[in-house]
């Protein structure tokens, strides 16, 4: 009996020593000490022994049980500890390093100042019933010039030189090119606006850029006059500057309007007293505008005896430059993130 007990002990200790996983420890515990375990078998058979033997074997069994239990517990603790140190050695991280990109603070992107202003103007004009149109950046000569009452060889073409393609198309010089595309399709009365990127063949400097942004506007109806134009312009400026703005018209020449005007607004920086931004004049040049030339209405299939309208074209870059005190138009296209981050 004693021999048997010693064998169980030896076997159990060997198993425990050679185990490498926590699960194995539990298996051994069941195998030796469990309800049907090796040692339990012995304890169960104690009943058949003489009282003296029972005492001796019982004592011995309990001793062995204790030894095995202790060995199991010790091994369990050892494996748990080494498990942790294994994880620690395999999966350690250097907390002093920069966090990975995915967990770094993410800055959300936002719109370019040109887009911000464009969308603002779109909101103002659509609230007054203007619908938004789009057109191609590479245009035909017809839509950019001819249909706008600027025939071939007309000196007015020199006012807007641009980039030509080999097949005689061009990069549009103004959003006015969208006018005819629009009115060919839409029946009067209508109010349309057309934002977009335009191009000119310019020697660039602080106030000239070969690529810039405009918003075109047009209203056609019965008896549309300059007062409608002035009202809409005042509303647009009020929307942008959040206060009443005075405007004035000066005669200006654009072949597609008659009469044509340059529209100025009172300088928002000095309130009209004269400052550096308005070049001491108290006024800021804002846009070209006028009553649509009958030839343009005709080109769009509209009878000028029945309908009249106004049109305007404003530059977005200059407007933002004035608002934000930007001294060089080339910043807009520079791609310099430090410039963009100021908006
Ligand atoms: N297209 C003109 C320009 O780019 C502006 C303009 C638009 C003037 C509409 C009058 C009417 O200079």
């Amino acid at each position: 009996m004693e021999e048997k007990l010693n064998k169980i002990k030896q076997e159990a200790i060997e198993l425990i020593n050679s185990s490498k996983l926590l699960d194995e420890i539990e298996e051994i515990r069941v195998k030796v000490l469990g309800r049907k375990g090796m040692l339990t078998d012995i304890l169960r058979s104690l009943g058949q022994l003489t009282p003296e033997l029972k005492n001796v074997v019982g004592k011995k069994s309990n001793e062995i049980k204790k030894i095995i239990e202790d060995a199991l517990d010790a091994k369990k603790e050892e494996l748990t500890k080494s498990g942790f140190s294994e994880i620690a050695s395999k999966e350690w991280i250097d907390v002093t390093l920069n966090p990975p990109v995915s967990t770094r603070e993410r800055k959300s992107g936002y719109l370019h100042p040109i887009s911000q202003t464009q969308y603002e103007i779109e909101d103002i004009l659509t609230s007054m019933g203007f619908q938004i149109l789009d057109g191609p950046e590479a245009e035909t000569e017809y839509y950019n010039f001819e249909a706008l009452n600027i025939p071939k060889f007309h000196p007015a073409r020199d006012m807007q030189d641009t980039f030509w393609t080999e097949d005689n198309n061009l990069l549009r010089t103004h959003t006015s090119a969208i006018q005819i595309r629009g009115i060919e399709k839409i029946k009067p009365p209508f109010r349309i606006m057309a934002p977009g990127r335009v191009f000119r063949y310019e020697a660039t400097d602080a106030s000239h850029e070969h690529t810039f942004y405009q918003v075109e506007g047009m209203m056609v109806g019965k008896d549309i006059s300059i007062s409608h134009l002035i009202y809409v312009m005042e509303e647009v400026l009020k929307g942008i500057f959040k206060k009443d703005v005075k405007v004035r018209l000066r005669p200006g020449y654009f072949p597609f309007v008659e009469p044509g005007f340059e529209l100025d607004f009172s300088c928002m920086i000095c309130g009209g007293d004269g400052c550096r931004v308005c070049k001491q004049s108290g006024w800021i040049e804002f846009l070209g505008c006028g009553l649509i030339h009958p030839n343009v209405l005709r080109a769009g299939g509209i009878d000028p005896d029945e309908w009249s309208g106004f049109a305007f074209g404003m530059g977005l870059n200059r407007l933002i430059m004035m608002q934000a005190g930007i001294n060089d138009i080339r910043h807009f296209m520079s791609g310099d993130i430090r410039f963009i981050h100021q908006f």
Side-chain angles (χ1 to χ4, degrees), residues 12 42 70 89 102 107 207 226 233 238 248 274 287 305 323 333:
I42 303 253
D70 287 351
S89 72
S102 58
K107 294 208 178 85
S207 51
I226 304 288
M233 295 299 57
K238 198 156 95 183
R248 76 172 185 188
L287 50 77
D305 292 329
Q323 259 181 318
M333 302 276 295

Side-chain angles (χ1 to χ4, degrees), residues 159-160 173-176 179 198 200 212 214 216-217 254 256-257 260-261 287-290 311-314:
M159 292 161 65
Q160 298 183 355
T173 56
H174 49 187
T175 43
S176 303
Q179 285 188 13
V198 301
R200 304 247 174 118
F212 54 100
Q214 289 188 330
E216 192 81 6
F254 303 96
F256 30 96
V257 284
F261 306 100
L287 50 77
C289 55
F312 61 86
M314 66 175 92

Side-chain angles (χ1 to χ4, degrees), residues 131-333:
Q131 52 177 312
I132 304 172
L133 299 186
D134 201 0
E137 291 179 350
E139 258 301 359
T140 62
E141 210 181 326
Y142 175 74
Y143 285 117
N144 197 83
F145 292 128
E146 212 125 333
L148 290 170
N149 201 30
I150 318 173
K152 246 196 179 91
F153 309 118
H154 193 285
R157 285 216 181 179
D158 292 345
M159 292 161 65
Q160 298 183 355
D161 203 359
T162 188
F163 304 96
W164 293 83
T165 63
E166 278 168 5
D167 54 358
N168 275 334
N169 291 316
L170 54 107
L171 295 185
R172 67 179 175 206
T173 56
H174 49 187
T175 43
S176 303
I178 306 172
Q179 285 188 13
I180 304 293
R181 286 185 176 277
I183 61 182
E184 274 175 350
K185 293 192 190 78
I186 305 169
K187 295 266 153 301
F190 59 75
R191 279 164 250 178
I192 55 175
M193 65 163 299
R197 180 158 57 168
V198 301
F199 310 85
R200 304 247 174 118
Y201 182 63
E202 292 277 4
T204 55
D205 63 25
S207 51
H208 295 90
E209 177 60 285
H210 51 71
T211 303
F212 54 100
Y213 292 79
Q214 289 188 330
V215 171
E216 192 81 6
M218 208 178 199
M219 177 171 181
V220 173
K222 301 270 183 191
D223 303 319
I224 299 296
S225 70
I226 304 288
S227 22
H228 295 104
L229 168 66
I230 293 176
Y231 173 77
V232 170
M233 295 299 57
E234 282 177 344
E235 283 302 302
V236 168
L237 289 164
K238 198 156 95 183
I240 295 173
F241 293 108
K242 316 279 184 275
K243 57 179 166 184
D244 284 329
V245 182
K246 269 196 299 196
V247 302
R248 76 172 185 188
L249 295 178
R250 286 178 291 119
Y253 176 64
F254 303 96
F256 30 96
V257 284
E258 181 58 39
F261 306 100
E262 301 272 2
L263 184 141
D264 303 336
F265 61 85
S266 54
C267 180
M268 306 305 296
I269 310 280
C270 60
D273 296 337
C275 68
R276 205 175 49 85
V277 174
C278 61
K279 300 195 191 88
Q280 310 305 329
S281 72
W283 295 94
I284 306 260
E285 236 183 271
F286 184 38
L287 50 77
C289 55
L291 293 184
I292 305 165
H293 196 288
N295 286 350
V296 175
L297 288 172
R298 263 183 224 114
I302 294 173
D303 179 2
D305 292 329
E306 197 183 338
W307 303 98
S308 60
F310 67 75
F312 61 86
M314 66 175 92
L316 293 184
N317 302 64
R318 296 245 173 97
L319 176 65
I320 300 166
M321 286 171 78
M322 198 282 301
Q323 259 181 318
I326 299 163
N327 56 14
D328 196 321
I329 193 171
R330 291 167 294 191
H331 286 310
F332 288 106
M333 302 276 295

